[in-house]
Amino acid sequence: MRTVSFVLISALAVPSMTEAAPVHVEVRSADGGHTLFRGGKPYVIKGAGGTGSLEHLARLGANSVRTWGAEDLGPRLDEAHRLGLTVTIGIWLGHERHGFDYTDDEQVFEQLERARTAVLAYRDHPALLMWGVGNEMEGFADGGNAAIWSAVNNVAALVKRLDPHHPTMTVLAEIGGKRVANVHRLCPDVDIVGVNSYGGVRSLADRYQAAGGKKPFVVTEFGPPGAWETSKTGWGAPVELSSVNKGRVYEAAYKSIYRSPQALGAYAFVWGNKREATATWFGLLLPDGTPLNPVDRLQWLWSGKYPKNRSPRITALVAKGATTQDPGAELVVEASVSDPEKDPVELTWVLEPEAREHVTGGDKQAEPPTYPERLEPQGPRKVRVRMPERPGGYRLYAYARDGRGASTANLPLLVRGPLSPGVDAGSLPVDVLSTKTPRWVPSGYMGSTEAISMTPATHDGRTGIRVEYRRPDNWGGVVWQHPANDWGDRPGGFDLSKAKRLTFWARGASGGEKVKFGYGLLKPDKAYPDSSGREAEKVLSQKWKRFSFDLGGEDLSRIKTGFFWVVGGAGKPVVFHLADVRFE
């Protein structure tokens, strides 16, 4: 249930083919099944979602690509049309876990207007297939918030009024809870149900029908089981399939989807490269565009033929010794590698710290440090690993390349030692700004520190501060730290494992102020990092508003930086108010 980007429409480039007539697309239903028609002819979606090369995708036999947003799509739509590809254009809808409030009329109206702008820009483009209204905007709970579904239907209704030639679809995070019922009950203007499904995709059609699904569906993301669905090591690291085994999963998933008379097709995830849980979990391509083993399988499924030169294959990684070791200990890892055409294969190794969180909901993850000095090749297929000194989890990656394609596999490793969890933070809620029982200190001034001032203030009796950044340029920010003035060099932090969310109230002095808020700023490259971290930019209004971060599933055992804010130069000073920052 992943996404490639959370970029909202800021500026839309009008496509160069605005004079072309739209190609009419519709769903026709008969005998309990559904068929998509494009230009009067049956059309089965065989595509992928992502930002990788469209020319490469078309060569494989795909016929469609999916986007998550509608920003600057004109050139990509033109290229897709030239290559014979259609495009499902995503209209991004806000997520509550990113701070969007579906009870805030102003936010909901602005979202509707962004949808209007997107539809007016691209509705006549001949590459357009359908509109994807939102992606997993219902979140990962039971999907029961009626306000969200009302907003989804309002956007879908607007789209249908502006563009009668293309169907509307909304995309769900699987089909559990109240999702299927709410789409059918509360979204009459949604024509098609999109479902992002991974580990459960092979049973999706039966489960959808059992849940009361009557509308046609498209599998809008499918791929290997997610990190939330796979087995774990004894210390909690998810076990990732090799790219060879992922290819088998894509094939089995694809075949199960197209057996259903309710399915209109599917989009493989992700046509590109994306760090989520690991560096290789969902990407069909390496960062340089090199295709991995599943792409060979997809080409066969889409076109009926494999590439003339197939990717090499890593079939196993075998550790000559335990994968849990003391700091500085050594072990040897050997890869079993082959190539279908007997081409020379180059094998490279990368060692990284394990991700702090594996269930990200698609949020972008930072690139971690690597440790090349800890790796010593022992011939063409082996590497000696000298374990890092800092206790914790690591992951060893193997990449095999033959000059045309690639294969990947990885192995989780653990360095023994005290992980220095934080001290018990006490009963919840925990107030970050509290002056009576302070836990973190606002000592981490960043950027243009001379331009920052924070003075006490209140909001309805709640503890708060007035923040001023006086420069019109550069940037500034403050971090609440434990211990004070520590940037990850000393033990500290608090254990907040029982917390489910971080909430805070904020308002701008003028309205429109953009401020980045978050917690957990210290990354794994520090001696004593935060065990988890989140951040998001918020746009403030003059009215007080409550924001929140959903902390479910995160490791909160050591939170050294309990909160931070960052602002960039906006051409004028920035003033905002902050209150009642609490872990609940």
Side-chain angles (χ1 to χ4, degrees), residues 224-449:
W228 62 95
E229 298 172 306
T230 190
S231 61
K232 305 290 193 297
T233 66
W235 47 277
V239 177
E240 180 179 351
L241 295 175
S242 68
S243 59
V244 171
N245 287 331
K246 288 176 187 175
R248 299 186 181 106
V249 171
Y250 276 97
E251 180 178 342
Y254 183 95
K255 291 178 177 178
S256 70
I257 293 165
Y258 288 85
R259 291 192 189 105
S260 171
Q262 289 185 284
L264 305 180
Y267 291 96
F269 187 86
V270 57
W271 185 243
N273 182 266
K274 180 176 193 288
R275 177 176 289 277
E276 184 174 344
T278 72
T280 54
W281 203 287
F282 289 113
L284 288 164
L285 310 174
L286 293 181
D288 63 0
T290 302
L292 293 164
N293 303 106
V295 176
D296 294 350
R297 295 266 182 160
L298 288 170
Q299 178 174 340
W300 178 71
L301 293 165
W302 288 334
S303 70
K305 59 184 178 181
Y306 281 106
K308 293 181 180 179
N309 191 292
R310 297 175 66 175
S311 297
R313 299 162 59 88
I314 300 177
T315 54
L317 290 184
V318 179
K320 308 296 184 180
T323 55
T324 297
Q325 297 280 354
D326 293 326
E330 296 183 349
L331 78 156
V332 173
V333 178
E334 182 175 4
S336 296
V337 183
S338 63
D339 187 86
E341 294 77 32
K342 311 291 186 192
D343 293 331
V345 176
E346 179 187 5
L347 188 66
T348 57
W349 303 88
V350 176
L351 181 65
E352 295 180 353
E354 184 70 354
R356 292 183 306 188
E357 58 178 326
H358 300 107
V359 182
T360 69
D363 296 352
K364 183 178 180 180
Q365 291 183 305
E367 292 293 324
T370 59
Y371 304 95
E373 73 282 359
R374 296 277 173 177
L375 302 177
E376 181 183 349
Q378 303 287 295
R381 300 291 182 261
K382 296 181 182 180
V383 66
R384 186 183 302 277
V385 183
R386 185 164 54 88
M387 301 293 263
E389 299 299 325
R390 187 174 72 83
Y394 296 84
R395 196 170 287 256
L396 178 68
Y397 295 85
Y399 297 85
R401 296 176 173 86
D402 68 354
R404 298 174 180 83
S407 187
T408 65
N410 62 62
L411 190 66
L413 304 173
L414 179 67
V415 176
R416 295 188 186 96
L419 298 179
S420 302
V423 299
D424 187 1
S427 60
L428 298 174
V430 172
D431 188 346
V432 176
L433 304 185
S434 173
T435 56
K436 295 181 180 179
T437 56
R439 293 172 176 81
W440 298 273
V441 180
S443 53
Y445 280 65
M446 305 179 293
S448 300
T449 58

Side-chain angles (χ1 to χ4, degrees), residues 447-518:
S448 300
T449 58
E450 78 287 349
I452 299 170
S453 66
M454 297 197 302
T455 55
T458 59
H459 165 50
D460 293 341
R462 300 181 177 94
T463 303
I465 54 175
R466 177 184 183 273
V467 179
E468 182 176 0
Y469 176 72
R470 293 183 291 272
R471 288 188 60 159
D473 58 1
N474 212 335
W475 67 280
V478 174
V479 186
W480 275 253
Q481 300 171 308
H482 183 269
N485 300 305
D486 175 64
W487 294 96
D489 301 318
R490 292 179 285 163
F494 296 95
D495 186 345
L496 295 159
S497 298
K498 296 180 181 179
K500 300 300 182 185
R501 65 188 64 84
L502 170 62
T503 65
F504 59 96
W505 290 79
R507 72 173 180 87
S510 303
E513 294 86 353
K514 295 181 179 180
V515 185
K516 182 181 290 185
F517 298 103

Side-chain angles (χ1 to χ4, degrees), residues 165-226:
H165 294 290
H166 300 97
T168 58
M169 174 176 69
T170 194
V171 177
L172 313 180
E174 254 288 346
I175 60 168
K178 303 175 181 177
R179 288 170 174 79
V180 175
N182 279 339
V183 169
H184 286 74
R185 181 171 63 94
L186 301 175
C187 299
D189 290 295
V190 169
D191 302 312
I192 300 165
V193 177
V195 184
N196 296 339
S197 182
Y198 291 88
V201 69
R202 296 176 69 177
S203 64
L204 176 63
D206 291 338
R207 291 186 291 114
Y208 178 71
Q209 192 172 41
K214 303 296 184 185
K215 297 174 186 276
F217 71 86
V218 173
V219 179
T220 38
E221 293 178 19
F222 74 97

